[in-house]
Structure formats: C-alpha cells, structure tokens
Amino acid sequence: EVQLVESGGGLVQPGGSLTLSCAASGFTFGAYGMSWVRQAPGKGPEWVSGIDRGDGRTYYADTVKGRFTISRDNAKNTLYLQMHSLKPEDTAVYHCARDSGKAQYDWDYWGQGTQVTVSA
C-alpha cells in the first residue's frame, strides 16, 4: 500500500522558515518523480515544486522560486521542502504527491497534508 505522510508544518511568523518532510512507503521511492502541492482555504490545489526521479532535477513555481528548496533522500524514502522567507500567502495545507508519469502535473497518490500558517 502506497503511503505518504507529511510532517513539519506549524505556525511561523512572516519571514520565518520551516522544513517539511514526507515519509514514503509501499513503493520504490527512487523510481518516481515527486512533488509538493499546496491548497489554501477556498482555493484549488497549487503545484509548488517537483523533483525528478533520476537526476534529481528540481522545478519550482514562480511564487516560491528562490525561497523554497525541494530535495529527496532515496535511502531514507523521504522528500523534503525547505521554506524560507515565508509570506502570509504561503499559508496552506502542503501535500506531497507521487508523479503518475503519465502527464505533467498529474499525481496518483497524495498524502494527508501538513498545515503551514504564516502569521504575525
């Protein structure tokens, strides 16, 4: 059974930092591209960042480029998202998601998510 479990969310002041983790199990983690997708209250899902399965090439939405860093540790089956210079508009539930491999921005498994709240 594929499982994705996020952790590391919380309340942080504007300008602060957080690091999210996603523990994967039930599949060969290193064989899949992975993404972080967030959903703010009342809004649809927004892709944040992705990392390839092979060379680990990374990709970012313009809204987070230069502030967020995605990485993966295939030996630990874990995906990370380092977030710096956080803004109130970064407030959302952050999900890790497994890329389906069928199309861009298409995911076949999601975790339950971890809440990130940026507020003074």
Side-chain angles (χ1 to χ4, degrees):
E1 178 188 6
V2 172
Q3 287 194 324
L4 299 169
V5 180
E6 302 91 340
S7 61
L11 173 63
V12 62
Q13 293 187 340
S17 299
L18 280 175
T19 297
L20 307 183
S21 300
C22 171
S25 61
F27 66 103
T28 304
F29 179 71
Y32 287 84
M34 299 293 297
S35 294
W36 287 98
V37 181
R38 68 186 180 186
Q39 188 158 14
K43 296 187 177 180
E46 176 192 12
W47 173 80
V48 173
S49 181
I51 186 166
D52 283 349
R53 61 178 180 170
D55 57 8
R57 188 173 299 182
T58 58
Y59 308 88
Y60 300 94
D62 287 344
T63 52
V64 306
K65 197 173 294 181
R67 300 189 297 120
F68 290 11
T69 302
I70 190 171
S71 62
R72 65 190 301 163
D73 186 334
N74 290 338
K76 294 183 178 180
N77 292 341
T78 303
L79 180 72
Y80 302 98
L81 186 68
Q82 295 178 309
M83 306 185 294
H84 300 289
S85 303
L86 283 161
K87 305 175 182 180
E89 51 264 43
D90 294 318
T91 295
V93 176
Y94 284 71
H95 303 267
C96 68
R98 191 179 82 169
D99 296 351
S100 71
K102 297 177 181 177
Q104 195 176 21
Y105 308 125
D106 185 65
W107 308 285
D108 53 7
Y109 288 94
W110 294 58
Q112 292 280 61
T114 185
Q115 176 71 48
V116 172
T117 303
V118 185
S119 175

